[in-house]
Amino acid sequence: MKILTCPMNGPRNIDEFQSFGPVRAEPDPDRTADADWSRHLFRAENRKGIVVEWWRHVPSNYFFLAERDLVTNEVLRTFDASERWAHP
Amino acid sequence: MMAEYSALSLLANALKGNKDWKPAWRKPDPKASYDVIIIGGGGHGLSTAYYLAKEHGITNVAVLEKGWLGSGNVGRNTTAVRSNYLLPANTRFYEHSMKLWENLSHDLNYNVMFSQRGCLNLAHTPAQFDDYARRGNAMRHLGVDAELMTTAQIKRLIPALDVSDSARFPVVGGLMQRRAGTARHDAVAWGYARGADRRGVDIIENCEVTGFLRDGDRITGVTTSRGDIRAKKVAVSVAGSTGRVMRLAGIETMPIESHVLQAFVTESLKPFIDTVVTFGMGHFYLSQSDKGGLVYGGDIDGYNSYAQRGNLPVVDEVMSEMLALFPGLARVRMLRSWGGVCDMSMDGSPIITTGPLPGMYLNCGWCYGGFKATPASGWCFAWTIAKDEPHDLNASFTLDRFHRGLVIDDKGQGATPRLH
């Protein structure tokens, strides 16, 4: 992993990026039970394989998603978050 | 009983052409059942087996290792041993480990080359120096040695260190633990393995656990690449693969993420530095091995990873940090670099506990500080397995502390594993 292709800025040096970890569904804090909320905060699936992660291109402060294999470090694709969640 | 390794046995074997040495551990086939199975033949698994046999008389034990003994993180770390923590739960635990280290070569009759050469944390701002004073006082309050050092004292101790005002981050002082140091990591694995083997423990290499045998909720054994093995108690000690092994038992989430930590060694140099030194304005630590190579490392790679190799930005950062401290090393050649997968826990502290299922015991979450914990981790885990309850020293290292608001967050980083 030396170069990551940012959906907005194109291929850039990996130095310019910061990982924010795997995408996780956030429960509604007002409706969820305490046990489920603490599970959300403190537990991780930590899959060995392909995961979808948040990354940030630091100079442009642009957050996007990447599909990456955690065993080989191969990035399968990067895409804008709107592909996964339509803008409201 | 004459010690197996002694000046006398060395001489006797030398005269006989070194043909009579026994292998340090046997290569037994697994039995159908054991009292205790320990999954993971790393430092912690082996020391657990050793203390189960030595302290609790439980010898019908198997250690299952999927690769060869010592192939994981016990052979991949930078060998530093210290007990300079801030929070009491950590300080007491690591100080117990330090005391076991101080007698380990004698206890094991195996030279683990434990060298109490000291560990110095450098401070680069007055605020950081104050923070070190606080940590040093917290350590001394619990009976652990700590002393603040001035820049002039540090210059005498480490002549090669750039302590000038023109340094990138000038040194304003440091916190020294004199009893800290280094040990030969492979010898630790081999010494514990032999000690456990001679007391009757079966160390079974190339035996990968592929699943758990169950009776309802209760764990009653494991399925492995070498057949099913039953046991009254199954202990999991597989830091680096904890999530994967626990998933085999149906536990889908853990307070752990896997990250890779790199380490480096240079070509051999003449005696250059006789202490362990850490950088305070980044993450960097360095010591010199007995062979002469500088052994050093920095931060984890910054993203989740199961790859036992690292990325280039961290290599670049570690080298920059080294040169910020030791400009004279600019032309020293790096010999090797490698990576190990670490269990980064949500609060930076480990887990040694009964459960989470009946018949199961769990030891994990060592972040990148597991090597120094090897003796106390095994000692406490053996106690927990033997008595079905934690010792006072590991009573805080529970799995449910996160849900109960009892996190042990020495760095105060919050529930973000990559920041610990």
Side-chain angles (χ1 to χ4, degrees):
Chain A
M1 258 173 83
K2 296 173 190 161
I3 289 172
L4 191 59
T5 303
C6 171
M8 187 164 79
N9 301 285
R12 306 292 304 176
N13 191 315
I14 188 74
D15 253 346
E16 295 183 11
F17 296 92
Q18 191 182 9
S19 165
F20 280 80
V23 171
R24 304 191 297 165
E26 183 183 294
D28 179 350
D30 293 328
R31 290 166 196 275
T32 192
D34 286 355
D36 292 335
W37 183 246
S38 74
R39 184 174 296 273
H40 168 67
L41 291 179
F42 293 114
R43 292 288 187 118
E45 285 193 13
N46 200 26
R47 293 246 171 229
K48 183 173 186 175
I50 295 164
V51 294
V52 180
E53 299 175 308
W54 284 110
W55 283 80
R56 172 164 75 135
H57 182 247
V58 178
S60 58
N61 196 23
Y62 166 67
F63 283 77
F64 60 94
L65 299 169
E67 255 178 47
R68 187 168 65 92
D69 187 334
L70 265 54
V71 182
T72 61
N73 277 336
E74 186 189 357
V75 177
L76 303 175
R77 73 183 188 114
T78 55
F79 53 101
D80 189 90
S82 62
E83 258 191 56
R84 192 171 168 117
W85 299 284
H87 285 298
Chain B
M1 188 174 87
M2 196 186 88
E4 191 172 344
Y5 294 163
S6 66
L8 199 63
S9 71
L10 196 67
L11 183 68
N13 277 285
L15 291 174
K16 287 190 278 183
N18 285 315
K19 286 179 204 135
D20 293 342
W21 290 112
K22 278 202 299 185
W25 58 90
R26 298 163 292 131
K27 305 261 181 200
D29 288 323
K31 293 192 278 187
S33 76
Y34 290 91
D35 289 341
V36 178
I37 285 175
I38 298 165
I39 307 173
H44 292 215
L46 294 166
S47 74
T48 303
Y50 175 77
Y51 291 114
L52 268 177
K54 178 174 180 255
E55 303 289 340
H56 305 283
I58 300 172
T59 57
N60 186 20
V61 176
V63 178
L64 308 183
E65 166 55 46
K66 80 171 170 184
W68 68 95
L69 194 144
S71 58
N73 290 341
V74 71
R76 290 170 187 265
N77 55 73
T78 46
T79 80
V81 172
R82 57 187 174 80
S83 58
N84 55 355
Y85 282 76
L86 173 68
L87 299 178
N90 279 328
T91 309
R92 287 199 185 97
F93 174 82
Y94 286 105
E95 179 59 13
H96 181 65
S97 208
M98 181 67 80
K99 285 178 176 152
L100 291 170
W101 277 111
E102 285 174 330
N103 193 40
L104 194 60
S105 291
H106 179 73
D107 186 32
L108 294 176
N109 174 230
Y110 204 110
N111 187 2
V112 300
M113 296 164 75
F114 182 49
S115 159
Q116 291 180 292
R117 59 184 67 185
C119 177
L120 175 68
N121 303 141
L122 295 173
H124 304 271
T125 66
Q128 192 173 30
F129 195 55
D130 289 349
D131 187 51
Y132 285 2
R134 177 185 176 223
R135 178 153 54 88
N137 283 331
M139 290 163 63
R140 291 172 72 120
H141 183 63
L142 290 171
V144 182
D145 69 305
E147 63 187 86
L148 286 173
M149 293 183 77
T150 64
T151 308
Q153 289 171 319
I154 291 169
K155 186 171 175 52
R156 275 198 300 280
L157 181 71
I158 312 173
L161 187 69
D162 183 3
V163 294
S164 67
D165 288 340
S166 60
R168 177 67 185 83
F169 297 103
V171 173
V172 304
L175 180 66
M176 166 62 103
Q177 185 186 19
R178 299 259 179 207
R179 287 163 62 243
T182 59
R184 168 102 172 91
H185 52 197
D186 297 319
V188 174
W190 300 333
Y192 273 122
R194 193 189 59 142
D197 177 272
R198 295 296 186 262
R199 285 170 170 80
V201 172
D202 283 355
I203 295 165
I204 301 162
E205 293 168 273
N206 301 309
C207 180
E208 182 175 359
V209 169
T210 53
F212 288 88
L213 300 172
R214 314 178 66 135
D215 178 10
D217 256 0
R218 176 165 284 276
I219 299 292
T220 57
V222 291
T223 61
T224 78
S225 54
R226 297 179 65 176
D228 293 0
I229 313 175
R230 301 202 161 265
K232 293 181 192 125
K233 300 181 176 186
V234 176
V236 178
S237 182
V238 293
S241 302
T242 303
R244 210 162 58 84
V245 171
M246 294 305 280
R247 190 163 278 125
L248 295 175
I251 293 168
E252 292 292 325
T253 60
M254 290 290 294
I256 284 169
E257 285 183 3
S258 297
H259 289 257
V260 69
L261 179 70
Q262 301 188 61
F264 310 86
V265 64
T266 68
E267 59 188 334
S268 290
L269 306 177
K270 289 180 180 175
F272 173 80
I273 180 167
D274 59 0
T275 189
V276 182
V277 65
T278 76
F279 184 43
M281 273 294 137
H283 203 144
F284 176 81
Y285 35 91
L286 176 140
S287 64
Q288 187 168 20
S289 77
D290 291 355
K291 207 157 51 177
L294 299 174
V295 181
Y296 56 103
D299 215 342
I300 51 177
D301 273 11
Y303 46 78
N304 298 38
S305 176
Y306 278 95
Q308 281 182 317
R309 60 184 184 284
N311 66 15
L312 283 173
V314 167
V315 177
D316 190 40
E317 190 181 308
V318 168
M319 301 307 150
S320 308
E321 289 172 322
M322 178 164 81
L323 295 185
L325 293 177
F326 300 102
L329 292 177
R331 302 191 68 81
V332 170
R333 281 164 294 192
M334 188 173 87
L335 207 58
R336 285 184 291 129
S337 76
W338 61 95
V341 179
C342 304
D343 267 12
M344 297 304 296
S345 72
M346 290 286 171
D347 61 357
S349 295
I351 292 157
I352 309 176
T353 185
T354 56
L357 297 171
M360 187 185 237
Y361 303 79
L362 180 62
N363 178 328
C364 63
W366 291 99
C367 298
Y368 40 78
F371 177 67
K372 62 183 172 292
T374 304
S377 167
W379 194 93
C380 288
F381 199 31
W383 176 291
T384 306
I385 295 164
K387 300 189 185 292
D388 274 310
E389 61 178 19
H391 187 272
D392 278 351
L393 287 167
N394 65 306
S396 305
F397 298 148
T398 59
L399 183 58
D400 66 357
R401 67 176 182 265
F402 304 96
H403 305 289
R404 296 166 60 212
L406 299 172
V407 293
I408 308 164
D409 191 343
D410 227 273
K411 275 172 89 176
Q413 294 282 27
T416 306
R418 69 172 183 278
L419 298 181
H420 287 291

